[in-house]
Amino acid sequence: MSLEKSQVEKIAHLARLRVNDEELEQVAGDLSSILDLVEQMNAVDTRGVIPMAHPLDMVQRLRSDRVTEEDQRDLFQSIAPATEKGLYLVPRVVE
Amino acid sequence: MTVAELAAGLRAGSYSSEELTRHYLDRIARFDAVLNSFITVVPERALEQARNADRRLKRGEAGPLTGIPIAHKDIFCTRGLKTSCGSRMLDDFVAPYDATVVSKMDQAGLVVLGKTNMDEFAMGSSNENSWYGPVRNPWDTALVPGGSSGGSAAAVAAGLCAAATGTDTGGSIRQPAALCGLTGLKPTYGRVSRYGMVAFASSLDQAGVLTHSAEDAAAMLQVMAGFDLRDSTSADEPVPDYSVGLAGSLEGLKIGLPKEYFGEGLDGAIAHSIRQAIDEFRSLGATLVEISLPNTALAIPTYYVVAPAECSSNLARYDGVRFGYRCEAPQDLEDLYQRSRSEALGSEVKRRILIGTYALSAGYYDAYYLKAQQIRRLISEDFRQAFAQVDVIMGPTTPSTAFAIGEKAKDPVTMYLSDIYTIAVNLAGLPGMSIPVAPVSGRPVGLQIVGNYFREAQLLNVAHRLQQATGWHLKHPGDYWA
């Protein structure tokens, strides 16, 4: 399986990563060789096999609906790049 | 010295924890400029913890490991102390809380010397993918220590700390343990809490330890293991006393030898060392059974769908908004996301995010992600059938000894193949260990021991008996243990 440069650009956009023009060929080549490796999976017939999402057969635990965490907004926001009045700041989205 | 010996010395009053801590801090200052095994060293904080430990020891309130100086892989969140995960993205990240592993160790009175170097976000098998530069192998500084817990492995092997924590998603404890001549333990998935452990692939990640002996690994696991309400995938299983059965007889133990682990691709000298260790087990009363894990060759292809898929989703949180790196002067929100991520993530991490994003994208999900989950089931079934016949499974941890820094860095797929024997264990969620056996040309070799779910005690028993019989675990890199 070999990826076109345009496909790499599309995937990069989905992942919110920027791949420069000069890197594009190298990245496309690397990803293609990984996909070649991955496609060894196609040698196996998996019809009827139940997918395994998780190593242990677990059920999601439920807890009672009561407050267990205290408000730590100031602490958590102290490590943010930019905040104001308890809000995270990003470039303007709506004019 | 092992943790067990140091703990006895502390109890006998041969030295204080403060003296011991100073000893390790001096060694770090002397050797780590070359090895680069630590990202952060915290002398003042460590000495404060050591003095507290000494007070506990004096008052008779000490636990078995109180006062032992260790290091944490820089993937475990530590309140008030930088947690970088080997990435520029988290270069100035100071977690507002402690990982459960960290708080348990603190409560037990262990002394934290610092945080160890690692492949960025635990993605790598050589420790060359760190924002803080490569780690060097104390056995030969031209060689890699393995990865991703390479800093922990190098630090323990060079005697810069008594033991260290690590994490293992595809071999990241066992492979560096093998390459640095250490005992490495990856417990069953869910045995140790993942709370506060920076996530890479959440259905595979598990915390464990790198130590000099199985006895030390047992003592460390005792502190770390257990159910944690704060980790939704933590296993609610009782934690046995891991010291109890450590010296038990191996008479009648059935060891499975998967024929797929001794075939093509395995270095002949390594195969010889592994055979030699297995012969030792036979003289300890074990019986050998040839078994087959027919889907072994599919483990790496499957892993390189499952792990990147989970990674692409876990690493979406690094967007330059709430914590971590933010690019200068973003033009708009899209630019903020893209540039923050692109400037702060390294090439291997980006590669895995891209592969994962592709595998999960519309139109490809069934062909890649669903297919991989189905094969994951087949791989897991292979182990289930094997454990119906045998108690433990053994083979090499790695196909070769430590390789040169730079040797595999250019080709990601070649690098991925260094985890060929370890990865299936994570896909199945089983516990695994690597212990040192006879070295080859002065380079350490690891024997991998895989057990059934939650049978860590048995793995530790098996490893301990071999170590008592052979002393292979007592070989240290001469430059650091003169």
Side-chain angles (χ1 to χ4, degrees):
Chain A
M1 171 93 197
S2 118
L3 288 179
E4 302 294 326
K5 286 187 196 173
S6 62
Q7 286 176 289
V8 175
E9 283 173 325
K10 188 179 160 226
I11 302 162
H13 174 71
L14 289 173
R16 297 301 183 270
L17 287 171
R18 198 165 282 176
V19 181
N20 299 329
D21 289 345
E22 57 269 31
E23 301 167 328
L24 206 51
E25 194 145 340
Q26 171 81 38
V27 172
D30 286 343
L31 297 185
S32 299
S33 63
I34 297 169
L35 289 176
D36 284 341
L37 172 80
V38 158
E39 278 164 14
Q40 292 173 19
M41 295 193 306
N42 294 337
V44 188
D45 182 357
T46 51
R47 269 174 302 180
V49 177
I50 301 162
M52 177 174 160
H54 206 266
L56 302 175
D57 287 323
M58 292 180 136
V59 276
Q60 194 68 50
R61 279 192 305 276
L62 299 175
R63 63 167 178 84
S64 55
D65 186 17
R66 61 187 173 81
V67 177
T68 54
E69 293 291 324
E70 56 199 280
D71 179 5
Q72 299 187 72
R73 178 188 288 207
D74 290 345
L75 176 65
F76 295 158
Q77 291 202 331
S78 66
I79 53 170
T83 57
E84 195 179 300
K85 295 179 189 155
L87 302 172
Y88 292 98
L89 295 188
V90 295
R92 182 179 289 275
V93 181
V94 183
E95 290 302 327
Chain B
M1 290 239 270
T2 64
V3 168
E5 288 162 346
L6 294 172
L10 284 171
R11 232 153 273 273
S14 311
Y15 33 76
S16 67
S17 175
E18 186 174 354
E19 284 167 331
L20 199 54
T21 301
R22 283 191 197 282
H23 164 78
Y24 282 112
L25 289 169
D26 287 347
R27 290 182 64 82
I28 293 169
R30 194 164 143 215
F31 295 118
D32 210 43
V34 171
L35 294 176
N36 197 28
S37 65
F38 280 84
I39 290 173
T40 307
V41 183
V42 283
E44 291 313 311
R45 192 178 182 275
L47 289 168
E48 181 62 39
Q49 281 187 317
R51 285 188 285 267
N52 285 333
D54 284 331
R55 280 190 283 274
R56 278 176 71 171
L57 282 157
K58 206 164 277 174
R59 287 199 298 256
E61 293 164 5
L65 299 186
T66 301
I68 301 290
I70 58 149
H72 286 302
K73 184 177 183 179
D74 208 16
I75 197 168
F76 292 100
C77 285
T78 41
R79 190 178 176 117
L81 169 61
K82 176 168 115 170
T83 300
S84 75
C85 222
S87 182
R88 185 185 188 191
M89 180 60 83
L90 296 178
D91 183 45
D92 63 359
F93 174 64
V94 177
Y97 65 99
D98 279 325
T100 296
V101 164
V102 170
S103 57
K104 283 187 164 208
M105 295 269 184
D106 283 351
Q107 279 157 24
L110 287 100
V111 174
V112 180
L113 297 164
K115 308 283 294 285
T116 56
N117 204 342
M118 55 182 285
D119 280 303
E120 182 177 11
F121 287 107
M123 297 175 203
S125 310
S126 68
N127 223 302
E128 292 166 288
N129 299 336
S130 169
W131 168 248
Y132 302 91
V135 176
R136 292 175 181 277
N137 190 323
W139 291 83
D140 178 345
T141 53
L143 307 178
V144 303
S148 67
S149 310
S152 290
V156 177
L160 308 189
C161 56
T165 55
T167 59
D168 190 316
T169 304
S172 281
I173 288 173
R174 291 160 288 156
Q175 187 254 15
L179 269 43
C180 290
L182 297 175
T183 299
L185 169 65
K186 179 205 96 75
T188 308
Y189 180 86
R191 174 78 293 182
V192 176
S193 170
R194 291 187 299 110
Y195 179 75
M197 192 173 109
V198 178
F200 156 20
S202 303
S203 79
L204 302 165
D205 297 343
Q206 177 60 199
V209 288
L210 294 111
T211 58
H212 287 296
S213 69
E215 187 183 14
D216 287 2
M220 293 280 281
L221 180 64
Q222 199 73 54
V223 176
M224 293 165 76
F227 177 63
D228 183 9
L229 267 177
R230 290 181 140 156
D231 171 3
S232 66
T233 58
S234 171
D236 195 358
E237 292 276 333
V239 179
D241 183 338
Y242 293 112
S243 66
V244 169
L246 211 51
S249 164
L250 301 188
E251 204 62 53
L253 180 84
K254 282 191 193 149
I255 300 175
L257 304 174
K259 60 175 194 233
E260 293 82 2
Y261 285 25
F262 292 89
E264 208 186 325
L266 176 63
D267 180 285
I270 292 190
H272 179 76
S273 279
I274 298 297
R275 288 279 173 200
Q276 199 183 339
I278 288 165
D279 284 344
E280 284 289 338
F281 282 113
R282 197 159 38 187
S283 45
L284 289 168
T287 47
L288 309 180
V289 184
E290 183 171 300
I291 58 167
S292 175
L293 300 169
N295 292 294
T296 295
L298 293 165
I300 287 187
T302 303
Y303 178 89
Y304 280 98
V305 174
V306 173
E310 295 186 16
C311 137
S312 74
S313 127
N314 268 325
L315 271 64
R317 75 191 67 186
Y318 302 108
D319 58 2
V321 176
R322 287 156 305 145
F323 60 96
Y325 179 88
R326 171 180 280 202
C327 65
E328 293 287 340
Q331 286 164 8
D332 52 32
L333 190 57
E334 193 72 16
D335 186 45
L336 167 70
Y337 292 153
Q338 285 198 13
R339 265 200 305 127
S340 298
R341 290 165 65 75
S342 302
E343 289 170 14
L345 297 174
S347 54
E348 179 60 24
V349 173
K350 286 183 196 163
R351 227 174 350 250
R352 296 202 195 186
I353 291 175
L354 291 171
I355 283 290
T357 304
Y358 180 66
L360 293 175
S361 64
Y364 297 99
Y365 182 90
D366 286 2
Y368 291 107
Y369 192 60
L370 203 67
K371 182 86 181 175
Q373 288 194 321
Q374 289 176 310
I375 298 180
R376 185 175 184 179
R377 170 85 56 197
L378 299 178
I379 290 167
S380 168
E381 280 297 306
D382 284 355
F383 282 108
R384 200 181 58 79
Q385 285 174 17
F387 282 120
Q389 302 171 56
V390 300
D391 300 307
V392 294
I393 295 172
M394 288 188 193
T397 307
T398 57
S400 67
T401 54
F403 44 93
I405 292 174
E407 186 182 325
K408 297 185 182 181
K410 289 235 162 55
D411 178 9
V413 170
T414 309
M415 185 70 86
Y416 296 169
L417 296 176
S418 25
D419 293 328
I420 188 152
Y421 302 125
T422 49
I423 264 178
V425 175
N426 298 78
L427 290 168
L430 293 162
M433 281 186 88
S434 179
I435 58 171
V437 295
V440 168
S441 316
R443 295 183 187 183
V445 174
L447 169 78
Q448 180 173 229
I449 314 171
V450 182
N452 212 340
Y453 296 101
F454 300 104
R455 301 297 296 274
E456 286 81 3
Q458 183 169 45
L459 287 187
L460 291 160
N461 166 222
V462 169
H464 180 69
R465 287 305 301 256
L466 185 80
Q467 294 185 338
Q468 292 298 301
T470 65
W472 280 320
H473 64 301
L474 302 174
K475 288 194 196 303
H476 298 306
D479 292 353
Y480 301 89
W481 295 77

